[in-house]
Amino acid sequence: WEAACGKPYNLPRAAADVLEAGFVPCTSRELVWHAKRERGSGKIVIELQDAECVEAVVIQHEGKRPRSTVCISCQVGCRMGCRFCATGTMGLRAQLSAGEILEQLLHASRRVDARAPLRNVVFMGMGEPLDNYREVMAAVRVMTHKDGFNLAPKNITVSTVGVPERIIQLAADCPGVNLALSLHAPSQPVRERIVPSARSHEFGKLLDAVDVYSARASGRKVMMEYILIDGVNATEGDAHELGCALAARRAWAMVNLIPYNPTSAGEAEQFRAPSEAQCKRFRDIVASYRRGGGGPRGA
């Protein structure tokens, strides 16, 4: 344990001997490290005890207070089947245990630069966190415990494609963590085309759940992730519809617009990214619906 985590046992020697004889401190191993720098940012391919693999991405932030963020996985594959996502084509192959989730932080902590300690965790890797709710919550409790990774809840983000009842439960169980919703559409019909699991969760009810989360989490902002796909969800009409839908809500939303990045899954759908000019126009229209802005300006 001391070698794996850099912390003393703080246990009687007899108990420590039993643990050492019957258990291992880490059930997974780093298989590949794809470095973007000599030490700092990069991607870790981690082999689990059942020989399945997941990925964790380490991102180093410079500035006055250098720090690192790790993007982690919670499942092998995913059952949500998002049309643009390579992981979605795999189907769900395995649920990660809380320990396997936490071990990704352990591997990442060995790779971060000492000048930029691990401070932020985002559940934006493989899998749908709210589809593995119990294990994700168990992992978050250890991440934030003083005897665990001692991270501030506000530095943890749970990203979901949208499971309304779990979003509401998250507000009760972990109101201090951040919520990011992979929205990707301004309406139910468009969302069903991009996110097949949306057929089970009506657009309005999903945003209702976000309102409840924000209210119960002391008005915390919710990030709305929106991948822009030309000819699918990136028209000026889509922008007006999105801006109007979010402006009508109680929750404060921060919209993260992401031009589509080619994937094998998206290529099968013939998806492509909009032009830079289209992206800017979409952004400006959505921004014109900010509260107090009086609706679209110059649109």
Side-chain angles (χ1 to χ4, degrees):
W1 175 264
E2 291 184 30
C5 299
K7 294 184 178 181
Y9 272 121
N10 198 26
L11 289 172
R13 186 66 253 175
D17 290 342
V18 171
L19 289 174
E20 285 185 340
F23 299 89
V24 293
C26 192
T27 65
S28 60
R29 69 185 183 97
E30 180 185 301
L31 197 62
V32 183
W33 165 247
H34 298 285
K36 291 188 177 180
R37 302 175 186 169
E38 183 176 348
R39 186 167 180 82
S41 299
K43 180 172 70 175
I44 310 171
V45 180
I46 299 168
E47 185 180 52
L48 307 175
Q49 57 186 318
D50 58 3
E52 293 280 10
C53 292
V54 294
E55 295 179 351
V57 176
V58 180
I59 305 164
Q60 183 172 308
H61 308 277
E62 303 297 341
K64 293 182 179 179
R65 299 179 61 187
R67 64 200 185 282
S68 294
T69 295
V70 59
C71 173
I72 60 174
S73 301
C74 61
Q75 296 175 320
V76 180
C78 181
R79 76 169 95 235
M80 299 301 166
C82 298
R83 300 298 190 200
F84 52 81
C85 179
T87 302
T89 64
M90 296 171 58
L92 179 61
R93 291 164 56 170
Q95 299 275 24
L96 268 60
S97 68
E100 289 170 325
I101 294 170
L102 290 164
E103 285 179 12
Q104 295 172 68
L105 273 69
L106 179 60
H107 292 298
S109 66
R110 294 169 176 166
R111 286 294 182 180
V112 299
D113 192 310
R115 299 180 302 105
L118 186 61
R119 288 287 181 267
N120 306 300
V121 174
V122 293
F123 283 87
M124 295 184 181
M126 296 172 69
E128 165 55 55
L130 301 190
D131 189 38
N132 190 16
Y133 189 83
R134 185 180 66 178
E135 299 303 316
V136 167
M137 289 299 98
V140 168
R141 285 192 288 271
V142 176
M143 290 177 196
T144 56
H145 197 280
K146 63 181 179 63
D147 292 328
F149 287 89
N150 199 28
L151 297 175
K154 67 180 182 180
N155 291 341
I156 298 173
T157 298
V158 175
S159 177
T160 176
V161 77
V163 184
E165 62 274 15
R166 291 299 192 191
I167 290 174
I168 294 171
Q169 188 176 353
L170 180 67
D173 293 340
C174 285
V177 304
N178 298 303
L179 175 68
L181 175 63
S182 295
L183 190 60
H184 305 314
S187 64
Q188 182 71 16
V190 177
R191 196 162 194 265
E192 286 184 11
R193 178 181 174 187
I194 304 170
V195 183
S197 63
R199 298 186 186 104
S200 301
H201 306 299
E202 194 271 326
F203 191 81
K205 291 182 179 179
L206 178 59
L207 294 185
D208 287 344
V210 171
D211 278 347
V212 173
Y213 171 87
S214 181
R216 293 183 180 177
S218 302
R220 187 177 296 277
K221 282 186 179 181
V222 176
M223 179 183 289
M224 299 290 184
E225 298 166 315
Y226 195 107
I227 292 180
L228 289 163
I229 306 171
D230 190 34
V232 177
N233 66 348
T235 67
E236 291 190 10
D238 292 327
H240 284 293
E241 196 170 3
L242 177 65
C244 187
L246 297 182
R249 290 287 157 175
R250 297 194 305 273
W252 284 95
M254 178 174 63
V255 182
N256 183 23
L257 298 175
I258 310 163
Y260 167 71
N261 186 41
T263 64
S264 56
E267 287 177 4
E269 301 286 336
Q270 298 185 321
F271 288 165
R272 62 185 184 277
S275 67
E276 184 176 349
Q278 284 177 285
C279 293
K280 288 181 178 178
R281 180 60 177 156
F282 193 100
R283 177 200 63 194
D284 292 345
I285 291 172
V286 174
S288 74
Y289 283 86
R290 290 189 183 119
R291 290 182 192 178
R297 298 185 297 272

